[in-house]
Amino acid sequence: MNKEKVLSGIRPTGFVHLGNYFGAMRNWVLMQDEYDCFFCVVDWHSLTTHPDTKELKANVYRLMGELLAVGLDPEKCVLYVQSDVPEIAELYLYLNMLSYKGELEKTATFKDKVRQHPENVNAGLLTYPVLQAADILIHRAVKVPVGKDQEQHIEMTRNFGDRFNKRYSEVFPMPQAFSYDKSLVKIMSLDGTGKMSKSANQMATLYLADDDDLIRNKIKKAKTDSGPTEPNAVKPDFIENLFGLMKLVSTPDTTTRFEADFNNCVIRYGDMKKQLAEDMVNFMAPIREKAKAFAADRELIKKVIGIGRDKARASADATLQLVRKAVGVDYI
Ligand code: ATP
Ligand code: MG
């Protein structure tokens, strides 16, 4: 029986952080044993907000190292770079004819980026969800393991795919956002102002490459308040986030103890942060060291990229033949 296809991507815009890991990469590692997986370093997407490409190559190599370090295995999944697969760009072109200015302008991530970079509102930024739809549909993927911030984009992918199917003929299955967790994950930044991110909020984001002291320092500065004033209070979202992080890296006993302290109004956030920092260091240090070793092995990374490219292109080409036939641009 054919396994279900899976696609997800990550932008080479900077250092990988805990949000990327818990929102996406952790699921990727689990899925590679169960599904037909395609994971992609989406370098074209980074050009929408990072037009300066001086750091791009180094970022791609480091990101590949990080993906291998968390456990992606090029023998079990197809790990490739987006720009190595020009078939994606052709599908993007067809889908662009089926996507409308109004719906693209309403996209939450577009509105955010316009606010952040009013000087660079380019057409690529506007059509980001169309390129992302092409990334997914080019492999006819049905599951897309992503964090909460990507939910709207996946819905748009379904809209574009469905429009294509209705306009031409049934080529694409409808993809769904996926997580092994109960719901899609969003790791907030430690200052409580938004999500952890590669390109914003850097002192309030924990990067897999951060050294032990930097991790401790960032957690020490995490936003807290003077504590609950009545038993079993509802946690403010920045406190909930600290507990959420603790659940991810500390033992269940530890989390239960601090939960009880919170519910009894005796919690000392200083102690909680110290404990969280130590558990976080223990969790992150081995990944960091592995990633460094992988990234230093240029030849290995190049080999992985080459193998991924060939497999990804074969899959993409098969879909593109169906697409051309459906559109009617198959002349000989
Ligand atoms: P950038 O700021 O450059 O867009 P990013 O941190 O948003 O970087 P992406 O490459 O856009 O990272 O996203 C890669 C994957 O990580 C996506 O599946 C996205 O949903 C997930 N992700 C990103 N940030 C978080 C977060 N804070 N919590 C959970 N998942 C996240
Ligand atoms: Mg992003």
Side-chain angles (χ1 to χ4, degrees), residues 78-109:
V78 181
L79 184 55
Y80 65 103
V81 179
Q82 184 184 34
S83 61
D84 275 338
V85 183
E87 290 79 5
I88 298 168
E90 184 173 335
L91 179 56
Y92 170 55
L93 182 148
Y94 300 124
L95 296 177
N96 265 321
M97 315 302 175
L98 298 170
S99 63
Y100 299 103
K101 182 170 163 275
E103 65 186 333
L104 295 170
E105 280 171 342
K106 273 198 311 213
T107 313
T109 45

Short mmCIF file of all heavy atoms in Angstrom, two decimals, residues 78-109:
data_model
loop_
_atom_site.label_atom_id
_atom_site.label_comp_id
_atom_site.label_asym_id
_atom_site.label_seq_id
_atom_site.Cartn_x
_atom_site.Cartn_y
_atom_site.Cartn_z
N VAL A 78 12.80 12.51 2.32
CA VAL A 78 13.46 13.28 1.26
C VAL A 78 13.72 14.68 1.82
O VAL A 78 12.80 15.42 2.13
CB VAL A 78 12.58 13.36 0.00
CG1 VAL A 78 13.31 14.13 -1.09
CG2 VAL A 78 12.22 11.96 -0.48
N LEU A 79 15.00 14.99 1.99
CA LEU A 79 15.39 16.25 2.61
C LEU A 79 16.09 17.07 1.52
O LEU A 79 17.12 16.66 1.00
CB LEU A 79 16.37 15.91 3.75
CG LEU A 79 16.88 17.01 4.64
CD1 LEU A 79 15.73 17.78 5.27
CD2 LEU A 79 17.74 16.40 5.76
N TYR A 80 15.50 18.21 1.14
CA TYR A 80 16.01 18.92 -0.04
C TYR A 80 15.86 20.42 0.10
O TYR A 80 15.26 20.92 1.06
CB TYR A 80 15.30 18.41 -1.30
CG TYR A 80 13.81 18.71 -1.35
CD1 TYR A 80 13.30 19.73 -2.13
CD2 TYR A 80 12.92 17.94 -0.60
CE1 TYR A 80 11.94 20.01 -2.16
CE2 TYR A 80 11.56 18.21 -0.63
CZ TYR A 80 11.08 19.24 -1.41
OH TYR A 80 9.74 19.51 -1.43
N VAL A 81 16.40 21.13 -0.89
CA VAL A 81 16.33 22.59 -0.91
C VAL A 81 15.35 22.99 -2.02
O VAL A 81 15.42 22.49 -3.14
CB VAL A 81 17.72 23.20 -1.17
CG1 VAL A 81 17.63 24.72 -1.20
CG2 VAL A 81 18.72 22.76 -0.10
N GLN A 82 14.46 23.92 -1.69
CA GLN A 82 13.38 24.31 -2.59
C GLN A 82 13.88 24.72 -3.98
O GLN A 82 13.34 24.30 -5.00
CB GLN A 82 12.62 25.47 -1.94
CG GLN A 82 11.41 25.97 -2.68
CD GLN A 82 10.82 27.19 -1.98
OE1 GLN A 82 11.56 28.00 -1.40
NE2 GLN A 82 9.51 27.32 -2.01
N SER A 83 14.92 25.56 -4.03
CA SER A 83 15.35 26.09 -5.33
C SER A 83 15.99 25.03 -6.22
O SER A 83 16.23 25.27 -7.40
CB SER A 83 16.33 27.26 -5.13
OG SER A 83 17.47 26.81 -4.45
N ASP A 84 16.26 23.85 -5.66
CA ASP A 84 16.76 22.74 -6.48
C ASP A 84 15.64 22.09 -7.28
O ASP A 84 15.90 21.19 -8.08
CB ASP A 84 17.40 21.66 -5.59
CG ASP A 84 18.86 21.99 -5.28
OD1 ASP A 84 19.46 22.77 -6.03
OD2 ASP A 84 19.38 21.46 -4.28
N VAL A 85 14.40 22.48 -7.02
CA VAL A 85 13.25 21.82 -7.66
C VAL A 85 12.44 22.87 -8.45
O VAL A 85 11.44 23.39 -7.97
CB VAL A 85 12.38 21.12 -6.58
CG1 VAL A 85 11.23 20.35 -7.22
CG2 VAL A 85 13.23 20.17 -5.74
N PRO A 86 12.87 23.19 -9.67
CA PRO A 86 12.21 24.25 -10.43
C PRO A 86 10.76 23.93 -10.78
O PRO A 86 9.99 24.83 -11.09
CB PRO A 86 13.07 24.37 -11.70
CG PRO A 86 13.89 23.14 -11.76
CD PRO A 86 14.03 22.63 -10.36
N GLU A 87 10.38 22.64 -10.69
CA GLU A 87 8.98 22.26 -10.94
C GLU A 87 8.03 23.02 -10.01
O GLU A 87 6.89 23.31 -10.38
CB GLU A 87 8.80 20.74 -10.75
CG GLU A 87 9.45 19.86 -11.80
CD GLU A 87 10.96 19.67 -11.63
OE1 GLU A 87 11.53 20.15 -10.61
OE2 GLU A 87 11.58 19.06 -12.52
N ILE A 88 8.53 23.33 -8.81
CA ILE A 88 7.69 24.08 -7.84
C ILE A 88 7.33 25.45 -8.43
O ILE A 88 6.19 25.91 -8.32
CB ILE A 88 8.43 24.27 -6.49
CG1 ILE A 88 8.75 22.92 -5.84
CG2 ILE A 88 7.60 25.13 -5.54
CD1 ILE A 88 9.74 23.02 -4.67
N ALA A 89 8.30 26.08 -9.08
CA ALA A 89 8.06 27.42 -9.63
C ALA A 89 7.03 27.38 -10.75
O ALA A 89 6.21 28.29 -10.90
CB ALA A 89 9.37 28.01 -10.13
N GLU A 90 7.04 26.29 -11.54
CA GLU A 90 6.04 26.21 -12.61
C GLU A 90 4.63 26.03 -12.04
O GLU A 90 3.67 26.67 -12.49
CB GLU A 90 6.40 25.08 -13.59
CG GLU A 90 5.42 25.05 -14.76
CD GLU A 90 5.80 24.06 -15.86
OE1 GLU A 90 7.00 23.73 -16.00
OE2 GLU A 90 4.89 23.62 -16.58
N LEU A 91 4.53 25.18 -11.02
CA LEU A 91 3.20 25.00 -10.41
C LEU A 91 2.72 26.31 -9.77
O LEU A 91 1.54 26.67 -9.85
CB LEU A 91 3.24 23.86 -9.38
CG LEU A 91 1.92 23.58 -8.66
CD1 LEU A 91 0.78 23.29 -9.64
CD2 LEU A 91 2.09 22.42 -7.67
N TYR A 92 3.66 27.02 -9.15
CA TYR A 92 3.36 28.34 -8.54
C TYR A 92 2.75 29.27 -9.60
O TYR A 92 1.77 29.98 -9.35
CB TYR A 92 4.68 28.87 -8.00
CG TYR A 92 4.81 30.29 -7.51
CD1 TYR A 92 3.96 30.81 -6.52
CD2 TYR A 92 5.84 31.10 -7.98
CE1 TYR A 92 4.15 32.11 -6.05
CE2 TYR A 92 6.03 32.39 -7.51
CZ TYR A 92 5.17 32.88 -6.54
OH TYR A 92 5.37 34.15 -6.06
N LEU A 93 3.29 29.22 -10.80
CA LEU A 93 2.78 30.07 -11.88
C LEU A 93 1.31 29.74 -12.18
O LEU A 93 0.46 30.63 -12.23
CB LEU A 93 3.67 29.88 -13.10
CG LEU A 93 3.35 30.70 -14.35
CD1 LEU A 93 4.66 31.02 -15.09
CD2 LEU A 93 2.41 29.97 -15.29
N TYR A 94 0.99 28.44 -12.34
CA TYR A 94 -0.40 28.09 -12.63
C TYR A 94 -1.32 28.50 -11.47
O TYR A 94 -2.41 29.02 -11.70
CB TYR A 94 -0.55 26.58 -12.88
CG TYR A 94 0.27 26.07 -14.06
CD1 TYR A 94 1.18 25.03 -13.89
CD2 TYR A 94 0.12 26.63 -15.32
CE1 TYR A 94 1.94 24.56 -14.95
CE2 TYR A 94 0.89 26.18 -16.39
CZ TYR A 94 1.80 25.15 -16.20
OH TYR A 94 2.55 24.71 -17.25
N LEU A 95 -0.85 28.25 -10.23
CA LEU A 95 -1.70 28.55 -9.07
C LEU A 95 -1.90 30.05 -8.91
O LEU A 95 -2.94 30.50 -8.41
CB LEU A 95 -1.10 27.95 -7.79
CG LEU A 95 -1.01 26.42 -7.73
CD1 LEU A 95 -0.33 25.98 -6.44
CD2 LEU A 95 -2.40 25.77 -7.83
N ASN A 96 -0.91 30.84 -9.33
CA ASN A 96 -1.05 32.30 -9.23
C ASN A 96 -2.25 32.80 -10.04
O ASN A 96 -2.87 33.80 -9.68
CB ASN A 96 0.23 33.00 -9.71
CG ASN A 96 1.17 33.32 -8.56
OD1 ASN A 96 0.73 33.70 -7.49
ND2 ASN A 96 2.46 33.16 -8.79
N MET A 97 -2.58 32.09 -11.12
CA MET A 97 -3.72 32.50 -11.94
C MET A 97 -5.04 32.19 -11.25
O MET A 97 -6.10 32.63 -11.68
CB MET A 97 -3.72 31.78 -13.30
CG MET A 97 -2.39 31.73 -14.01
SD MET A 97 -1.68 33.36 -14.31
CE MET A 97 -0.09 32.87 -15.01
N LEU A 98 -4.96 31.39 -10.19
CA LEU A 98 -6.19 30.96 -9.48
C LEU A 98 -6.26 31.57 -8.08
O LEU A 98 -7.03 31.13 -7.24
CB LEU A 98 -6.21 29.43 -9.36
CG LEU A 98 -6.24 28.66 -10.68
CD1 LEU A 98 -6.02 27.17 -10.43
CD2 LEU A 98 -7.56 28.88 -11.40
N SER A 99 -5.39 32.54 -7.81
CA SER A 99 -5.42 33.17 -6.48
C SER A 99 -5.68 34.66 -6.67
O SER A 99 -5.23 35.24 -7.67
CB SER A 99 -4.10 32.93 -5.76
OG SER A 99 -3.06 33.53 -6.45
N TYR A 100 -6.39 35.24 -5.73
CA TYR A 100 -6.89 36.60 -5.95
C TYR A 100 -6.26 37.60 -4.97
O TYR A 100 -6.00 37.27 -3.81
CB TYR A 100 -8.42 36.60 -5.87
CG TYR A 100 -8.96 35.69 -6.95
CD1 TYR A 100 -9.44 34.42 -6.65
CD2 TYR A 100 -8.88 36.06 -8.29
CE1 TYR A 100 -9.86 33.56 -7.66
CE2 TYR A 100 -9.29 35.21 -9.30
CZ TYR A 100 -9.78 33.96 -8.98
OH TYR A 100 -10.16 33.12 -9.99
N LYS A 101 -6.04 38.77 -5.50
CA LYS A 101 -5.40 39.84 -4.74
C LYS A 101 -6.08 40.06 -3.38
O LYS A 101 -5.41 40.15 -2.36
CB LYS A 101 -5.45 41.11 -5.60
CG LYS A 101 -4.80 42.33 -5.01
CD LYS A 101 -4.72 43.41 -6.10
CE LYS A 101 -4.48 44.80 -5.52
NZ LYS A 101 -5.71 45.47 -5.10
N GLY A 102 -7.40 40.09 -3.40
CA GLY A 102 -8.15 40.37 -2.16
C GLY A 102 -7.85 39.36 -1.07
O GLY A 102 -7.56 39.73 0.07
N GLU A 103 -7.90 38.08 -1.41
CA GLU A 103 -7.68 37.06 -0.38
C GLU A 103 -6.21 37.06 0.09
O GLU A 103 -5.93 36.80 1.26
CB GLU A 103 -8.09 35.67 -0.88
CG GLU A 103 -7.25 35.15 -2.03
CD GLU A 103 -7.76 33.84 -2.61
OE1 GLU A 103 -8.40 33.06 -1.90
OE2 GLU A 103 -7.48 33.59 -3.81
N LEU A 104 -5.30 37.38 -0.82
CA LEU A 104 -3.88 37.39 -0.43
C LEU A 104 -3.61 38.57 0.51
O LEU A 104 -2.86 38.44 1.49
CB LEU A 104 -2.99 37.48 -1.67
CG LEU A 104 -3.05 36.26 -2.60
CD1 LEU A 104 -2.33 36.55 -3.92
CD2 LEU A 104 -2.47 35.03 -1.92
N GLU A 105 -4.23 39.71 0.22
CA GLU A 105 -4.02 40.89 1.07
C GLU A 105 -4.60 40.71 2.47
O GLU A 105 -4.16 41.35 3.41
CB GLU A 105 -4.67 42.12 0.41
CG GLU A 105 -3.79 42.71 -0.67
CD GLU A 105 -4.49 43.79 -1.48
OE1 GLU A 105 -5.73 43.88 -1.45
OE2 GLU A 105 -3.78 44.54 -2.17
N LYS A 106 -5.59 39.82 2.59
CA LYS A 106 -6.23 39.59 3.90
C LYS A 106 -5.45 38.62 4.79
O LYS A 106 -5.76 38.46 5.97
CB LYS A 106 -7.64 39.00 3.68
CG LYS A 106 -8.70 40.05 3.48
CD LYS A 106 -10.09 39.48 3.70
CE LYS A 106 -10.33 38.20 2.94
NZ LYS A 106 -11.61 37.89 2.43
N THR A 107 -4.45 37.93 4.22
CA THR A 107 -3.72 36.91 4.98
C THR A 107 -3.00 37.55 6.18
O THR A 107 -2.32 38.56 6.04
CB THR A 107 -2.66 36.24 4.07
OG1 THR A 107 -3.29 35.91 2.84
CG2 THR A 107 -2.08 35.01 4.70
N ALA A 108 -3.15 36.91 7.36
CA ALA A 108 -2.60 37.49 8.59
C ALA A 108 -1.08 37.69 8.51
O ALA A 108 -0.56 38.74 8.90
CB ALA A 108 -2.96 36.60 9.79
N THR A 109 -0.36 36.68 7.99
CA THR A 109 1.11 36.80 7.93
C THR A 109 1.52 37.94 6.99
O THR A 109 2.50 38.64 7.24
CB THR A 109 1.76 35.49 7.45
OG1 THR A 109 1.03 35.01 6.33
CG2 THR A 109 1.78 34.44 8.52
#
